[in-house]
Amino acid sequence: MTKKDTICVQGSYQPNSGDPRVLPLVQSTTYYYETPEEMAHLFDHPKDGHIYSRISNPTVAEMESKITLLEGGVAAMACASGMSAITLAVLTLATKGDNFITTSQIYGGTYNLFKVTLPKMGIEVRFVDSDASEEEIEAQIDDRTKFIFGEIIANPAMTVFNFEKFSKICQKYQMVLMIDNTLATPILCRPFEYGANVIVHSTTKYMDGHAGSVGGVVVDGGNFDYDQNKRYADFYTPDDSYHGLTYVDEGGSAAFALKARMQFMRDIGANISPFNAYLTNLGMETLHLRMQRHSENAQGLAEALQKHPMVDWVSYPGLPGNANEANAKRYLSGGYSGMLTFGIKGGREKAAALIKELKIFKQVTHIADVRSCLLHPATTTHRQLSNEDLEACGIPENLIRLSVGIEALEDLTEDLIGALDKI
Ligand code: PLP
């Protein structure tokens, strides 16, 4: 089973004779072992079985292994949300006194975590523009710099991550590259193939795909050698909180995933519920088909919007001449996903009029499910950001974000273009 389409449908869970054909939902928090020796073994070798559902669970494990297969990694850890996945991934690499670099063009919630919350915990976050030169980026690196972070398609700035530039720098400094692959999903891009070492997702988005389940995941690429790399000394020195276990020895190529789970999932408990993992797995069974349709519909709408007199500009990686066209062609294949943004002439007032006029596109604080929706970030998700911060995130005040669903393109065009005609 090597093709992504087959992995979406049949990857991970494999029934034995007489087992349920569909992934079973295991709600149990605990697991029975007959002998003390079996239980003791698991405490020393947590990969060998389940102890307690805060740390691992059979239904969650199948969701994790499907995502691992799709991304081409070695292990994954599902979390309660995309934000908890990002937080745990950061904490696995960085501690008080450390720093990391991120592009400024990232989701507002992540921006807030990086700009406000992590610095309060003593982790400094250094922001660079996606277009920054190699010299500008390198000037931010010191001995305590732990990784570079970026979003594959930035929400809602729409920039497409420049792997060549950032992964070259990470390789030069023997440093981890962490990518948020939420908006492309492994169907359109597999970041490990372009130098990423850790991938995070909000599975709340396309992976679940039906706006029915909040979740996140951290995926370990198994392609970074932490052993004896001075930036990551706590990967190869014994962890007192875990019987003196050493993550590189016990975890091997999945040392990152083991540390994330045994230190941070254990201590913080941001685990996904088995029911949400069950729903996410169900969603992923059609991910390949949905990503294709989301992409086709978004391409069609982007082209229609470009011609409308009420539209100032349109940003979609699939549009010829778009600022992100080169990176999109290079790193995305099979489509450019379902999110697009445009600037409405008349700013906030016309944005409000448009939202009231639409019938199919509904205003919701969400993206990336089967239903088309829209949002005006400056008055909603990003209202906590100053105008300066908005500019830094690449979000002009007149920007409208569309998440294009999988309905009929004809109906979507009629709804959106019809509403623009009226206002
Ligand atoms: N990453 C991206 C790119 C997102 O768009 C979001 C949410 O919109 C998140 C992370 C956070 O995910 P969650 O809402 O599941 O916590």
Side-chain angles (χ1 to χ4, degrees), residues 349-401:
E349 197 191 312
K350 289 292 179 190
L354 175 73
I355 289 165
K356 286 180 192 154
E357 205 57 58
L358 289 163
K359 305 245 166 349
I360 298 177
F361 277 91
K362 301 254 189 304
Q363 180 187 222
V364 298
T365 311
H366 195 237
I367 49 165
D369 73 79
V370 289
R371 293 161 208 88
S372 291
C373 62
L374 87 168
L375 199 75
H376 180 224
T379 51
T380 54
T381 44
H382 290 67
R383 62 185 294 127
Q384 79 274 20
L385 302 189
S386 66
N387 280 348
E388 240 170 36
D389 286 346
L390 277 177
E391 278 303 318
C393 291
I395 306 168
E397 178 251 343
N398 71 347
L399 178 149
I400 291 190
R401 182 184 70 186

CSV table of all heavy atoms in Angstrom, one decimal, residues 349-401:
chain,number,residue,atom,x,y,z
A,349,GLU,N,-17.1,48.1,5.6
A,349,GLU,CA,-18.5,48.3,5.4
A,349,GLU,C,-19.0,47.4,4.3
A,349,GLU,O,-20.0,46.7,4.5
A,349,GLU,CB,-18.7,49.8,4.9
A,349,GLU,CG,-20.1,50.3,5.0
A,349,GLU,CD,-20.2,51.6,4.3
A,349,GLU,OE1,-19.3,52.5,4.5
A,349,GLU,OE2,-21.1,51.8,3.4
A,350,LYS,N,-18.3,47.3,3.2
A,350,LYS,CA,-18.7,46.4,2.1
A,350,LYS,C,-18.5,44.9,2.5
A,350,LYS,O,-19.3,44.0,2.1
A,350,LYS,CB,-17.9,46.7,0.8
A,350,LYS,CG,-18.3,48.0,0.2
A,350,LYS,CD,-19.7,48.0,-0.4
A,350,LYS,CE,-20.1,49.3,-1.0
A,350,LYS,NZ,-21.5,49.4,-1.3
A,351,ALA,N,-17.5,44.6,3.3
A,351,ALA,CA,-17.3,43.3,3.8
A,351,ALA,C,-18.6,42.8,4.6
A,351,ALA,O,-19.1,41.7,4.4
A,351,ALA,CB,-16.1,43.2,4.7
A,352,ALA,N,-19.1,43.7,5.5
A,352,ALA,CA,-20.3,43.4,6.2
A,352,ALA,C,-21.5,43.2,5.3
A,352,ALA,O,-22.3,42.3,5.5
A,352,ALA,CB,-20.6,44.5,7.2
A,353,ALA,N,-21.6,44.1,4.3
A,353,ALA,CA,-22.8,44.0,3.4
A,353,ALA,C,-22.7,42.6,2.6
A,353,ALA,O,-23.7,42.0,2.4
A,353,ALA,CB,-22.7,45.1,2.4
A,354,LEU,N,-21.5,42.2,2.2
A,354,LEU,CA,-21.4,41.0,1.5
A,354,LEU,C,-21.8,39.8,2.3
A,354,LEU,O,-22.6,38.9,1.9
A,354,LEU,CB,-19.9,40.8,1.0
A,354,LEU,CG,-19.6,39.5,0.3
A,354,LEU,CD1,-20.2,39.4,-1.1
A,354,LEU,CD2,-18.1,39.2,0.2
A,355,ILE,N,-21.3,39.8,3.6
A,355,ILE,CA,-21.6,38.6,4.5
A,355,ILE,C,-23.1,38.5,4.6
A,355,ILE,O,-23.7,37.4,4.6
A,355,ILE,CB,-20.9,38.8,5.8
A,355,ILE,CG1,-19.4,38.6,5.6
A,355,ILE,CG2,-21.4,37.9,6.9
A,355,ILE,CD1,-18.5,39.1,6.7
A,356,LYS,N,-23.8,39.6,4.7
A,356,LYS,CA,-25.3,39.6,4.9
A,356,LYS,C,-26.0,39.1,3.7
A,356,LYS,O,-27.1,38.5,3.7
A,356,LYS,CB,-25.8,41.0,5.3
A,356,LYS,CG,-25.4,41.3,6.7
A,356,LYS,CD,-25.9,42.7,7.1
A,356,LYS,CE,-25.3,43.2,8.4
A,356,LYS,NZ,-25.3,44.6,8.5
A,357,GLU,N,-25.4,39.3,2.5
A,357,GLU,CA,-26.1,39.0,1.2
A,357,GLU,C,-25.9,37.5,0.9
A,357,GLU,O,-26.8,37.0,0.1
A,357,GLU,CB,-25.4,39.9,0.2
A,357,GLU,CG,-26.3,40.2,-1.1
A,357,GLU,CD,-27.6,40.8,-0.7
A,357,GLU,OE1,-27.6,41.9,-0.1
A,357,GLU,OE2,-28.6,40.2,-1.1
A,358,LEU,N,-24.9,36.8,1.4
A,358,LEU,CA,-24.6,35.5,0.9
A,358,LEU,C,-25.5,34.4,1.5
A,358,LEU,O,-26.0,34.6,2.7
A,358,LEU,CB,-23.1,35.1,1.3
A,358,LEU,CG,-22.1,35.8,0.6
A,358,LEU,CD1,-20.7,35.7,1.3
A,358,LEU,CD2,-21.9,35.2,-0.8
A,359,LYS,N,-25.8,33.4,0.8
A,359,LYS,CA,-26.7,32.3,1.2
A,359,LYS,C,-26.0,31.0,1.5
A,359,LYS,O,-26.2,30.4,2.5
A,359,LYS,CB,-27.8,32.1,0.2
A,359,LYS,CG,-28.6,33.3,-0.2
A,359,LYS,CD,-30.0,33.2,0.2
A,359,LYS,CE,-30.8,34.5,0.2
A,359,LYS,NZ,-30.1,35.8,0.0
A,360,ILE,N,-25.1,30.6,0.6
A,360,ILE,CA,-24.4,29.3,0.7
A,360,ILE,C,-23.2,29.5,1.6
A,360,ILE,O,-22.9,28.8,2.5
A,360,ILE,CB,-24.0,28.7,-0.7
A,360,ILE,CG1,-25.3,28.4,-1.5
A,360,ILE,CG2,-23.2,27.5,-0.5
A,360,ILE,CD1,-25.1,27.9,-2.9
A,361,PHE,N,-22.4,30.5,1.2
A,361,PHE,CA,-21.2,30.9,2.1
A,361,PHE,C,-21.7,31.4,3.4
A,361,PHE,O,-22.3,32.5,3.4
A,361,PHE,CB,-20.3,31.9,1.3
A,361,PHE,CG,-19.4,31.4,0.3
A,361,PHE,CD1,-19.8,31.3,-1.0
A,361,PHE,CD2,-18.1,31.0,0.7
A,361,PHE,CE1,-19.0,30.8,-2.0
A,361,PHE,CE2,-17.3,30.5,-0.3
A,361,PHE,CZ,-17.7,30.4,-1.6
A,362,LYS,N,-21.4,30.7,4.5
A,362,LYS,CA,-21.9,31.2,5.8
A,362,LYS,C,-20.7,31.8,6.5
A,362,LYS,O,-19.5,31.2,6.4
A,362,LYS,CB,-22.5,30.1,6.6
A,362,LYS,CG,-23.7,29.4,5.9
A,362,LYS,CD,-25.0,29.8,6.6
A,362,LYS,CE,-26.2,29.0,6.1
A,362,LYS,NZ,-26.5,29.0,4.7
A,363,GLN,N,-20.9,32.8,7.4
A,363,GLN,CA,-19.9,33.3,8.2
A,363,GLN,C,-19.6,32.4,9.4
A,363,GLN,O,-20.5,32.3,10.3
A,363,GLN,CB,-20.3,34.7,8.7
A,363,GLN,CG,-19.2,35.4,9.5
A,363,GLN,CD,-19.6,36.7,10.2
A,363,GLN,OE1,-18.8,37.6,10.2
A,363,GLN,NE2,-20.8,36.7,10.7
A,364,VAL,N,-18.4,31.8,9.4
A,364,VAL,CA,-18.0,31.0,10.6
A,364,VAL,C,-16.6,31.2,10.9
A,364,VAL,O,-15.8,31.5,10.0
A,364,VAL,CB,-18.3,29.5,10.4
A,364,VAL,CG1,-19.8,29.2,10.2
A,364,VAL,CG2,-17.5,28.9,9.3
A,365,THR,N,-16.2,31.0,12.1
A,365,THR,CA,-14.7,31.0,12.5
A,365,THR,C,-14.1,29.7,12.2
A,365,THR,O,-13.8,28.9,13.2
A,365,THR,CB,-14.6,31.4,14.0
A,365,THR,OG1,-15.4,32.5,14.2
A,365,THR,CG2,-13.1,31.7,14.3
A,366,HIS,N,-14.0,29.3,11.0
A,366,HIS,CA,-13.5,28.0,10.7
A,366,HIS,C,-13.0,28.0,9.2
A,366,HIS,O,-13.5,28.9,8.5
A,366,HIS,CB,-14.5,26.9,10.9
A,366,HIS,CG,-14.0,25.5,10.9
A,366,HIS,ND1,-14.4,24.5,10.1
A,366,HIS,CD2,-13.0,25.0,11.7
A,366,HIS,CE1,-13.7,23.4,10.3
A,366,HIS,NE2,-12.8,23.7,11.3
A,367,ILE,N,-12.2,27.1,8.9
A,367,ILE,CA,-11.9,26.9,7.5
A,367,ILE,C,-11.8,25.4,7.3
A,367,ILE,O,-11.8,24.6,8.2
A,367,ILE,CB,-10.5,27.5,7.1
A,367,ILE,CG1,-9.4,27.1,8.1
A,367,ILE,CG2,-10.6,29.0,6.9
A,367,ILE,CD1,-8.0,27.4,7.6
A,368,ALA,N,-11.8,25.0,6.0
A,368,ALA,CA,-11.4,23.7,5.6
A,368,ALA,C,-12.3,22.6,6.0
A,368,ALA,O,-11.9,21.5,6.4
A,368,ALA,CB,-10.0,23.4,6.2
A,369,ASP,N,-13.6,22.8,5.9
A,369,ASP,CA,-14.5,21.7,5.9
A,369,ASP,C,-15.3,21.7,4.7
A,369,ASP,O,-15.2,22.5,3.8
A,369,ASP,CB,-15.4,21.7,7.2
A,369,ASP,CG,-16.4,22.7,7.3
A,369,ASP,OD1,-17.5,22.5,6.7
A,369,ASP,OD2,-16.2,23.8,7.9
A,370,VAL,N,-16.2,20.7,4.5
A,370,VAL,CA,-16.9,20.5,3.3
A,370,VAL,C,-17.8,21.7,2.9
A,370,VAL,O,-18.1,21.9,1.7
A,370,VAL,CB,-17.8,19.2,3.3
A,370,VAL,CG1,-16.9,18.0,3.3
A,370,VAL,CG2,-18.7,19.1,4.5
A,371,ARG,N,-18.2,22.4,3.9
A,371,ARG,CA,-19.2,23.6,3.6
A,371,ARG,C,-18.4,24.8,3.3
A,371,ARG,O,-17.5,25.2,4.1
A,371,ARG,CB,-20.1,23.8,4.8
A,371,ARG,CG,-21.1,22.7,5.0
A,371,ARG,CD,-21.6,22.7,6.4
A,371,ARG,NE,-22.0,21.4,6.8
A,371,ARG,CZ,-21.1,20.5,7.4
A,371,ARG,NH1,-19.9,20.9,7.7
A,371,ARG,NH2,-21.5,19.3,7.7
A,372,SER,N,-18.8,25.6,2.3
A,372,SER,CA,-18.1,26.9,2.0
A,372,SER,C,-18.5,27.9,3.1
A,372,SER,O,-19.6,28.0,3.6
A,372,SER,CB,-18.6,27.4,0.7
A,372,SER,OG,-18.1,26.5,-0.3
A,373,CYS,N,-17.4,28.6,3.5
A,373,CYS,CA,-17.7,29.7,4.5
A,373,CYS,C,-16.7,30.8,4.3
A,373,CYS,O,-15.8,30.7,3.4
A,373,CYS,CB,-17.5,29.1,5.9
A,373,CYS,SG,-15.8,28.4,6.2
A,374,LEU,N,-17.0,31.9,5.0
A,374,LEU,CA,-16.1,33.1,4.9
A,374,LEU,C,-16.0,33.8,6.2
A,374,LEU,O,-16.7,33.6,7.1
A,374,LEU,CB,-16.5,34.0,3.7
A,374,LEU,CG,-17.6,35.1,4.1
A,374,LEU,CD1,-17.7,36.0,2.9
A,374,LEU,CD2,-18.9,34.5,4.4
A,375,LEU,N,-15.0,34.7,6.2
A,375,LEU,CA,-14.7,35.5,7.4
A,375,LEU,C,-14.0,36.8,7.0
A,375,LEU,O,-13.2,36.8,6.1
A,375,LEU,CB,-13.8,34.7,8.4
A,375,LEU,CG,-13.8,35.1,9.8
A,375,LEU,CD1,-15.2,34.7,10.5
A,375,LEU,CD2,-12.7,34.5,10.6
A,376,HIS,N,-14.2,37.8,7.8
A,376,HIS,CA,-13.4,39.0,7.6
A,376,HIS,C,-12.5,39.1,8.9
A,376,HIS,O,-12.9,39.6,9.9
A,376,HIS,CB,-14.4,40.2,7.6
A,376,HIS,CG,-13.7,41.5,7.4
A,376,HIS,ND1,-14.0,42.7,8.1
A,376,HIS,CD2,-12.7,41.9,6.6
A,376,HIS,CE1,-13.2,43.7,7.8
A,376,HIS,NE2,-12.4,43.2,6.8
A,377,PRO,N,-11.3,38.7,8.7
A,377,PRO,CA,-10.4,38.5,9.9
A,377,PRO,C,-10.2,39.8,10.7
A,377,PRO,O,-10.1,39.7,11.9
A,377,PRO,CB,-9.0,38.1,9.3
A,377,PRO,CG,-9.4,37.4,8.0
A,377,PRO,CD,-10.6,38.2,7.5
A,378,ALA,N,-10.1,41.0,10.1
A,378,ALA,CA,-9.8,42.2,10.8
A,378,ALA,C,-10.8,42.5,11.9
A,378,ALA,O,-10.5,43.1,12.9
A,378,ALA,CB,-9.6,43.4,9.8
A,379,THR,N,-12.1,42.1,11.6
A,379,THR,CA,-13.1,42.3,12.6
A,379,THR,C,-13.4,41.1,13.5
A,379,THR,O,-14.3,41.2,14.4
A,379,THR,CB,-14.5,42.8,12.0
A,379,THR,OG1,-14.8,41.9,11.0
A,379,THR,CG2,-14.4,44.2,11.4
A,380,THR,N,-12.8,40.0,13.2
A,380,THR,CA,-13.1,38.8,14.0
A,380,THR,C,-11.9,38.1,14.6
A,380,THR,O,-11.4,38.5,15.6
A,380,THR,CB,-13.9,37.8,13.1
A,380,THR,OG1,-13.1,37.5,11.9
A,380,THR,CG2,-15.3,38.3,12.7
A,381,THR,N,-11.3,37.1,13.8
A,381,THR,CA,-10.2,36.3,14.4
A,381,THR,C,-9.0,37.1,14.8
A,381,THR,O,-8.3,36.7,15.7
A,381,THR,CB,-9.8,35.2,13.4
A,381,THR,OG1,-9.7,35.8,12.1
A,381,THR,CG2,-10.7,34.0,13.3
A,382,HIS,N,-8.7,38.1,14.1
A,382,HIS,CA,-7.5,38.9,14.3
A,382,HIS,C,-7.7,40.2,14.9
A,382,HIS,O,-6.9,41.1,14.9
A,382,HIS,CB,-6.8,39.0,12.9
A,382,HIS,CG,-6.2,37.7,12.4
A,382,HIS,ND1,-7.0,36.7,12.0
A,382,HIS,CD2,-4.9,37.3,12.3
A,382,HIS,CE1,-6.2,35.7,11.6
A,382,HIS,NE2,-5.0,36.0,11.8
A,383,ARG,N,-8.9,40.4,15.6
A,383,ARG,CA,-9.2,41.7,16.1
A,383,ARG,C,-8.3,42.0,17.3
A,383,ARG,O,-8.2,43.2,17.7
A,383,ARG,CB,-10.7,41.9,16.5
A,383,ARG,CG,-11.2,40.9,17.5
A,383,ARG,CD,-12.7,41.1,17.7
A,383,ARG,NE,-13.1,42.4,18.2
A,383,ARG,CZ,-14.0,43.2,17.7
A,383,ARG,NH1,-14.6,42.9,16.6
A,383,ARG,NH2,-14.3,44.4,18.3
A,384,GLN,N,-7.7,41.0,17.9
A,384,GLN,CA,-6.7,41.2,19.0
A,384,GLN,C,-5.4,41.8,18.6
A,384,GLN,O,-4.6,42.3,19.4
A,384,GLN,CB,-6.5,40.0,19.9
A,384,GLN,CG,-5.6,38.9,19.4
A,384,GLN,CD,-6.2,38.0,18.4
A,384,GLN,OE1,-7.3,38.2,17.8
A,384,GLN,NE2,-5.6,36.8,18.2
A,385,LEU,N,-5.2,41.7,17.2
A,385,LEU,CA,-3.9,42.2,16.7
A,385,LEU,C,-4.0,43.7,16.4
A,385,LEU,O,-5.0,44.2,15.9
A,385,LEU,CB,-3.5,41.5,15.5
A,385,LEU,CG,-3.3,39.9,15.6
A,385,LEU,CD1,-2.7,39.4,14.3
A,385,LEU,CD2,-2.5,39.5,16.8
A,386,SER,N,-2.9,44.4,16.7
A,386,SER,CA,-2.8,45.8,16.3
A,386,SER,C,-2.7,45.9,14.8
A,386,SER,O,-2.4,45.0,14.1
A,386,SER,CB,-1.6,46.5,17.0
A,386,SER,OG,-0.4,45.9,16.4
A,387,ASN,N,-2.9,47.1,14.2
A,387,ASN,CA,-2.8,47.3,12.8
A,387,ASN,C,-1.4,46.9,12.3
A,387,ASN,O,-1.2,46.4,11.3
A,387,ASN,CB,-3.1,48.7,12.4
A,387,ASN,CG,-4.6,48.9,12.3
A,387,ASN,OD1,-5.3,47.9,12.3
A,387,ASN,ND2,-5.0,50.2,12.2
A,388,GLU,N,-0.4,47.2,13.2
A,388,GLU,CA,1.0,46.9,12.9
A,388,GLU,C,1.2,45.4,12.8
A,388,GLU,O,1.8,44.9,11.8
A,388,GLU,CB,1.9,47.4,14.0
A,388,GLU,CG,2.9,48.4,13.6
A,388,GLU,CD,3.6,49.0,14.9
A,388,GLU,OE1,3.8,48.2,15.9
A,388,GLU,OE2,3.9,50.2,14.8
A,389,ASP,N,0.6,44.7,13.8
A,389,ASP,CA,0.7,43.2,13.8
A,389,ASP,C,0.0,42.6,12.6
A,389,ASP,O,0.4,41.6,12.0
A,389,ASP,CB,0.1,42.6,15.1
A,389,ASP,CG,1.0,42.8,16.3
A,389,ASP,OD1,2.2,43.2,16.1
A,389,ASP,OD2,0.6,42.6,17.4
A,390,LEU,N,-1.2,43.2,12.3
A,390,LEU,CA,-2.0,42.8,11.1
A,390,LEU,C,-1.1,42.8,9.8
A,390,LEU,O,-1.0,41.9,9.1
A,390,LEU,CB,-3.2,43.6,10.9
A,390,LEU,CG,-4.4,43.3,11.7
A,390,LEU,CD1,-5.6,44.3,11.4
A,390,LEU,CD2,-4.9,41.9,11.4
A,391,GLU,N,-0.4,44.0,9.7
A,391,GLU,CA,0.4,44.2,8.5
A,391,GLU,C,1.5,43.1,8.5
A,391,GLU,O,1.9,42.5,7.5
A,391,GLU,CB,1.0,45.6,8.5
A,391,GLU,CG,0.1,46.6,7.9
A,391,GLU,CD,-0.3,46.4,6.5
A,391,GLU,OE1,0.5,45.9,5.7
A,391,GLU,OE2,-1.6,46.6,6.2
A,392,ALA,N,2.1,42.9,9.7
A,392,ALA,CA,3.2,41.9,9.8
A,392,ALA,C,2.8,40.5,9.4
A,392,ALA,O,3.5,39.7,8.9
A,392,ALA,CB,3.8,41.9,11.2
A,393,CYS,N,1.5,40.2,9.8
A,393,CYS,CA,1.0,38.9,9.4
A,393,CYS,C,0.5,38.9,7.9
A,393,CYS,O,0.0,37.8,7.5
A,393,CYS,CB,-0.2,38.5,10.2
A,393,CYS,SG,0.1,38.2,11.9
A,394,GLY,N,0.6,40.0,7.2
A,394,GLY,CA,0.2,40.0,5.8
A,394,GLY,C,-1.4,40.0,5.7
A,394,GLY,O,-1.9,39.4,4.8
A,395,ILE,N,-2.1,40.7,6.6
A,395,ILE,CA,-3.5,40.7,6.5
A,395,ILE,C,-4.0,42.1,6.4
A,395,ILE,O,-4.3,42.8,7.4
A,395,ILE,CB,-4.1,40.1,7.8
A,395,ILE,CG1,-3.5,38.7,8.0
A,395,ILE,CG2,-5.6,40.0,7.7
A,395,ILE,CD1,-3.8,38.1,9.3
A,396,PRO,N,-4.2,42.6,5.2
A,396,PRO,CA,-4.8,44.0,5.0
A,396,PRO,C,-6.2,44.0,5.6
A,396,PRO,O,-6.9,43.0,5.7
A,396,PRO,CB,-4.8,44.2,3.5
A,396,PRO,CG,-4.2,43.0,2.9
A,396,PRO,CD,-4.0,42.0,3.9
A,397,GLU,N,-6.6,45.2,6.0
A,397,GLU,CA,-7.9,45.4,6.6
A,397,GLU,C,-9.1,45.0,5.7
A,397,GLU,O,-10.1,44.6,6.2
A,397,GLU,CB,-8.0,46.9,7.1
A,397,GLU,CG,-9.2,47.4,7.8
A,397,GLU,CD,-10.0,48.3,6.9
A,397,GLU,OE1,-9.5,48.8,5.8
A,397,GLU,OE2,-11.2,48.5,7.2
A,398,ASN,N,-8.9,45.1,4.4
A,398,ASN,CA,-10.1,44.7,3.5
A,398,ASN,C,-10.1,43.3,3.1
A,398,ASN,O,-10.8,42.9,2.2
A,398,ASN,CB,-10.1,45.6,2.3
A,398,ASN,CG,-8.9,45.3,1.3
A,398,ASN,OD1,-8.0,44.6,1.6
A,398,ASN,ND2,-9.0,45.9,0.1
A,399,LEU,N,-9.2,42.5,3.7
A,399,LEU,CA,-9.1,41.0,3.3
A,399,LEU,C,-10.3,40.2,3.8
A,399,LEU,O,-10.7,40.2,4.9
A,399,LEU,CB,-7.8,40.5,3.9
A,399,LEU,CG,-7.5,39.0,3.6
A,399,LEU,CD1,-6.0,38.8,3.6
A,399,LEU,CD2,-8.1,38.0,4.7
A,400,ILE,N,-10.8,39.5,2.8
A,400,ILE,CA,-11.9,38.5,3.1
A,400,ILE,C,-11.3,37.1,2.9
A,400,ILE,O,-10.7,36.9,1.8
A,400,ILE,CB,-13.1,38.7,2.3
A,400,ILE,CG1,-13.8,40.0,2.8
A,400,ILE,CG2,-14.1,37.5,2.4
A,400,ILE,CD1,-15.1,40.3,2.2
A,401,ARG,N,-11.5,36.2,3.8
A,401,ARG,CA,-11.0,34.8,3.7
A,401,ARG,C,-12.1,33.9,3.3
A,401,ARG,O,-13.1,33.9,4.0
A,401,ARG,CB,-10.3,34.4,5.0
A,401,ARG,CG,-9.7,33.0,4.9
A,401,ARG,CD,-9.2,32.6,6.2
A,401,ARG,NE,-10.3,32.3,7.2
A,401,ARG,CZ,-10.1,32.0,8.5
A,401,ARG,NH1,-8.9,32.0,9.0
A,401,ARG,NH2,-11.1,31.7,9.2
